[in-house]
Amino acid sequence: MASPTADASESVVELRGVSKIFRTADRSDRAVLEGVDLTLKRGEIVAMLGKSGSGKSTLLRIMAGLVGADRGEVRFRGQPLRGTAEGIAMVFQSFALFPWLTVQQNVELGLEAQGVHKEERARRAEAAIDMIGLSGFNSALPRELSGGMRQRVGIARALVTEPDLLLMDEAFSALDVLTGETLRDEMLDLWEDGRTNIKCILIVSHNIEEAVMMADRIVILSSDPGRIRAEVKIPFPRPRNRDSSQVRGLIDEVYTLMTSPAAMGPRVTALAAARDIGYRLPDADISQMEAILDLLCEAPFFGRADLPHLAEEAGLTDDDLLPACEALHLLQLATIERGDISATGLGRAYYETEPPERKVLFGKQLLQHVALAAHIRRELEQSEDGEIREEHVLRELEAFLKPDEAERVLTLAIEWGRYGEVYEYSYNSGMLTLPREEQPAPGAGTQA
């Protein structure tokens, strides 16, 4: 078995000028990915980071051959990639197991698709199950397993095909912290010991610490459209001590890159966002935003914190922390610079006020800095009866965003607007309305 570090100059996958376009509701083209150049070489683990909407999962699926690039070229083993290929395997966040099949049968699926003989399938599947630490569970059904065990099955199903390239899409994010760390460390042990035939691993993650602990190289995508905007090489051997000053410094560096305006996309500044209803609002819960601001303004931070330290104190993953911090930045309640977050004067005032006054301040900032909320409010004020249909706004958003993303963004704008009392929403009728006290009197829009 070849060592994964042998012939490290050998390219496993090459992407040249890869772009992916989607057609909006008004039939215009919008890029999800644009001009991506990336080479994955034998013997390396590469982590890919980027905010939601940066195209990470789309890029992963292009490399897996599950979707095609609209422009550019993908080469695997030196040849153009046309559809799925033997030698590429993928592990999904959702486990993606067939619930009616046993562990053994789920692991054998990839081999069956390759036409491997029954006896050989059974032998290789048993070896993979044993390798991943599930010996004795061959006949168990997925419902009888814990989340960590189900993900082990997903990994075994990928390993059994002996791929050159292993793609991992948020593979540990659905697990609790301890289980995820254990499984991550066991995967690294398999890699370092050379017990698999894998030549290269690409990990898509939201977890900055996970990327620093696992990878030889971190690639960071910007958003709208997704482009590679930074690359960080990690010089430390594995295993790594997360508490060492060198590792903590590198984690801080990646946080800085992840929270810089270029990483968040060309429209991330509050002023720019205020002019663009198609801005991808960060997936942030209001209660979480307020909890982070409260924590930031109290001891030991007193208004300024290192983001990794804040995440640790708040007990939040990067997937929860970074969108909430981006939302605070967008509303001008905090600023983010060089991996640190600071409460603004307005943010400190927000912290010191009572809930009713917080809602008023939130609504004011929302209308000033979030274009979609201001757009909804303006349309409500201009309508005769002070109401508009949710579907109307959704169609407008689909000129900028994919339908599922447009729905997510509108749901957030509705939630934020209702909290800030700048408009109301009826879940039964799907109608957006002005606040009750501002609604036109019956008949006010008609002439006698």
Side-chain angles (χ1 to χ4, degrees):
M1 181 182 300
S3 166
T5 57
D7 193 10
S9 63
E10 177 188 334
S11 295
V12 178
V13 173
E14 296 177 74
L15 282 69
R16 294 290 175 265
V18 166
S19 299
K20 187 66 181 177
I21 312 296
F22 78 91
R23 181 66 55 88
T24 63
D26 64 356
R27 304 191 64 78
S28 61
D29 290 339
R30 193 173 180 93
V32 179
L33 296 166
E34 186 172 88
V36 175
D37 294 324
L38 178 64
T39 299
L40 305 180
K41 295 182 178 180
R42 178 173 179 147
E44 68 173 352
I45 299 175
V46 178
M48 185 180 295
L49 301 173
K51 63 171 285 190
S52 295
S54 60
K56 302 186 303 296
S57 292
T58 300
L59 192 58
L60 206 67
R61 281 157 175 74
I62 288 173
M63 280 189 267
L66 299 175
V67 298
D70 292 317
R71 290 196 292 268
E73 183 181 41
V74 181
R75 300 181 72 84
F76 174 59
R77 295 170 173 163
Q79 300 299 318
L81 181 65
R82 308 282 188 231
T84 58
E86 291 186 20
I88 300 176
M90 192 163 176
V91 180
F92 300 90
Q93 174 185 354
S94 60
F95 313 142
L97 304 180
F98 290 97
W100 58 87
L101 298 181
T102 65
V103 168
Q104 178 86 20
Q105 291 167 332
N106 266 289
V107 174
E108 286 187 22
L109 279 176
L111 297 176
E112 186 175 355
Q114 293 177 3
V116 176
H117 191 269
K118 183 177 180 180
E119 285 75 14
E120 177 67 7
R121 289 203 311 264
R123 184 192 66 78
R124 286 171 60 179
E126 286 178 8
I129 290 168
D130 181 61
M131 182 190 303
I132 206 64
L134 283 178
S135 181
F137 289 90
N138 303 55
S139 60
L141 293 170
R143 68 171 181 268
E144 299 171 314
L145 306 176
S146 67
M149 294 170 77
R150 288 198 293 273
Q151 190 58 294
R152 288 175 188 271
V153 179
I155 293 171
R157 185 177 54 192
L159 296 180
V160 77
T161 61
E162 299 180 350
D164 287 353
L165 174 64
L166 179 63
L167 305 171
M168 305 187 78
D169 190 6
E170 303 281 356
F172 310 119
S173 63
L175 308 174
D176 65 81
V177 174
L178 183 58
T179 302
E181 288 182 358
T182 299
L183 194 50
R184 179 189 75 196
D185 291 343
E186 290 179 6
M187 280 296 300
L188 287 176
D189 288 342
L190 289 175
W191 170 261
E192 298 290 350
D193 293 347
R195 283 183 278 162
T196 72
N197 287 327
I198 299 169
K199 295 182 174 64
C200 179
I201 299 176
L202 177 65
I203 303 163
V204 164
S205 178
H206 277 104
N207 189 319
I208 291 171
E209 182 176 295
E210 175 182 280
V212 171
M213 294 298 289
M214 291 191 74
D216 300 294
R217 182 162 53 107
I218 297 174
V219 171
I220 299 173
L221 297 184
S222 61
S223 302
D224 293 323
R227 298 187 181 99
I228 293 177
R229 62 163 300 270
E231 180 178 306
V232 179
K233 293 185 178 179
I234 303 177
F236 316 125
R238 289 180 292 263
R240 294 166 186 154
N241 178 4
R242 65 164 55 83
D243 297 320
S244 72
S245 59
Q246 295 95 334
V247 169
R248 300 313 300 179
L250 197 54
I251 290 173
D252 282 348
E253 179 185 341
V254 178
Y255 265 97
T256 299
L257 291 168
M258 285 290 293
T259 54
S260 68
M264 292 182 177
R267 300 193 306 273
V268 76
T269 66
L271 180 62
R275 294 195 296 261
D276 187 354
I277 70 168
Y279 177 72
R280 296 175 188 268
L281 295 176
D283 205 359
D285 179 78
I286 294 167
S287 61
Q288 202 163 70
M289 291 161 55
E290 292 189 338
I292 288 172
L293 186 60
D294 290 348
L295 181 62
L296 178 62
C297 290
E298 295 169 354
F301 300 117
F302 300 109
R304 184 179 181 88
D306 171 67
L307 280 170
H309 189 187
L310 184 65
E312 186 176 342
E313 285 291 318
L316 295 175
T317 65
D318 297 328
D319 201 16
D320 293 323
L321 178 76
L322 294 182
C325 289
E326 182 184 343
L328 290 171
H329 174 74
L330 186 66
L331 296 171
Q332 297 292 283
L333 299 176
T335 58
I336 300 173
E337 186 177 3
R338 297 182 179 178
D340 290 348
I341 182 169
S342 302
T344 62
L346 197 62
R348 291 175 185 271
Y350 191 96
Y351 163 72
E352 293 169 357
T353 60
E354 297 299 319
E357 288 76 21
R358 281 189 171 193
K359 289 186 176 185
V360 173
L361 184 52
F362 189 95
K364 178 183 177 182
Q365 294 303 104
L366 184 67
L367 291 179
Q368 186 174 351
H369 298 293
V370 177
L372 179 55
H375 176 73
I376 292 171
R377 172 74 190 204
R378 189 164 50 250
E379 291 210 343
L380 288 170
E381 291 173 343
Q382 293 171 353
S383 68
E384 289 187 0
D385 51 6
E387 62 181 29
I388 56 175
R389 289 196 171 276
E390 175 188 15
E391 289 85 355
H392 167 72
V393 184
L394 193 59
R395 298 291 86 79
E396 291 181 304
L397 274 180
E398 287 177 355
F400 301 90
L401 304 168
K402 291 181 179 179
D404 57 343
E405 184 70 357
E407 186 172 352
R408 182 193 70 81
V409 168
L410 180 56
T411 298
L412 273 170
I414 290 172
E415 177 188 330
W416 292 6
R418 289 178 71 233
Y419 178 77
E421 298 180 343
V422 297
Y423 41 75
E424 295 179 0
Y425 173 73
S426 169
Y427 289 96
N428 292 327
S429 65
M431 297 295 291
L432 285 152
T433 63
L434 288 170
R436 189 177 304 275
E437 63 274 11
E438 298 181 50
Q439 291 176 11
T446 62
Q447 297 292 327

